[in-house]
Amino acid sequence: MDFRIDLILQSLPVLGQGLLMTLELTVLAVAIGTVLGTLFGLMRVSKNKIFYFLASMYVDFFRGTPLLVQLFLVYMGLPQILGFPLDRFTAAIATLSLNSGAYIAEIVRAGIQSIDKGQWEAALSLGMNYQQMMRYVILPQAFKRIIPALGNEFIAMLKDSSLVAVISLEELLRKGQLIITRTFRPFEIYFAVAILYLLLTTLISRFIAYTERRLNIESTD
Ligand code: ARG
């Protein structure tokens, strides 16, 4: 059996480009997803029935259907209604963000609901209205609590972003596939792709663990 390590080394620059695209997709999707998730998470704890209903539909749809199907729906389905084509990058970012937003909405909802009743009562007794209470008392504490969960979502998205290879967006997995069509060496290349994903997820989970430790230290001060 020969294992062509030289081939892996040669492929690294191209795989590196893919890795950057994967990171870009993930960072953007989780950033936009956090904005969406905060909005929809707030709607899910709102007493307004319509807000609650709309947010629940959104969360249920994007968590209850496969990301792969959502990707096809946006990339191939939406242009039919819009009347103009979407480029791959836009379609990928839109789908990944909407999907991540649904998962983050649940994280935010749980974070808000985990804040002690006393905090709400204290805010009320200071004469705050709902908006002020959320902005100055509840959300800051909730966000601190959900940082580890957001980190996990980041890792999940990093891996799931490989699904956009099916619309030929050249992220890490797709770059690997393209190299294989030239070299006919799937074992070496997929192995390298896997190791690169592993490297990223390990680095990020270390970083999350570190942040978690720091936050714990701060909260006992
Ligand atoms: N693998 C699941 C799917 O295909 C979830 C994808 C999205 N994951 C996430 N954490 N946003 O539907």
Side-chain angles (χ1 to χ4, degrees):
M1 191 202 83
D2 60 334
F3 184 83
R4 298 264 315 271
I5 249 198
D6 60 305
L7 204 67
I8 294 184
L9 295 178
Q10 268 172 31
S11 308
L12 278 183
V14 175
L15 291 179
Q17 290 168 5
L19 193 83
L20 283 183
M21 174 58 92
T22 288
L23 263 180
E24 192 179 338
L25 285 172
T26 312
V27 169
L28 275 175
V30 175
I32 302 173
T34 303
V35 176
L36 289 175
T38 307
L39 215 78
F40 284 100
L42 281 169
M43 284 166 72
R44 289 268 282 177
V45 294
S46 148
K47 289 203 173 64
N48 184 316
K49 287 257 160 38
I50 299 173
F51 281 171
Y52 175 80
F53 177 74
L54 288 176
S56 303
M57 290 237 301
Y58 165 72
V59 169
D60 287 347
F61 180 79
F62 283 99
R63 296 205 325 160
T65 57
L67 179 53
L68 185 59
V69 175
Q70 294 161 17
L71 207 55
F72 284 136
L73 189 64
V74 171
Y75 183 57
M76 308 201 197
L78 263 194
Q80 184 193 320
I81 301 183
L82 296 175
F84 55 85
L86 284 177
D87 67 277
R88 295 183 229 284
F89 187 75
T90 312
I93 289 291
T95 316
L96 295 179
S97 307
L98 282 166
N99 184 282
S100 200
Y103 282 86
I104 295 176
E106 280 301 87
I107 297 175
V108 170
R109 179 189 60 75
I112 292 173
Q113 288 173 340
S114 79
I115 302 300
D116 192 78
K117 259 263 155 38
Q119 296 291 319
W120 299 81
E121 289 162 3
L124 273 182
S125 71
L126 287 174
M128 289 188 179
N129 61 28
Y130 187 78
Q131 218 178 331
Q132 292 169 324
M133 187 160 81
M134 275 296 176
R135 175 143 161 49
Y136 298 111
V137 181
I138 308 300
L139 280 182
Q141 297 183 69
F143 264 106
K144 189 170 157 189
R145 233 172 243 191
I146 67 180
I147 285 175
L150 283 179
N152 288 339
E153 168 62 17
F154 191 87
I155 293 182
M157 208 63 238
L158 187 97
K159 293 184 293 169
D160 288 332
S161 71
S162 60
L163 283 170
V164 307
V166 298
I167 62 170
S168 276
L169 187 68
E170 296 186 13
E171 41 64 78
L172 181 51
L173 175 62
R174 184 74 193 135
K175 283 282 191 209
Q177 290 176 328
L178 290 173
I179 296 171
I180 294 165
T181 59
R182 278 190 288 109
T183 57
F184 301 107
R185 301 293 295 194
F187 185 72
E188 284 90 342
I189 303 302
Y190 281 135
F191 182 72
V193 167
I195 295 296
L196 286 174
Y197 275 113
L198 181 64
L199 217 71
L200 276 184
T201 52
T202 311
L203 272 177
I204 296 164
S205 62
R206 287 272 158 81
F207 180 71
I208 298 169
Y210 167 78
T211 332
E212 215 167 321
R213 265 201 313 278
R214 285 214 36 178
L215 286 174
N216 278 339
I217 292 165
E218 276 165 24
S219 61
T220 51
D221 277 347

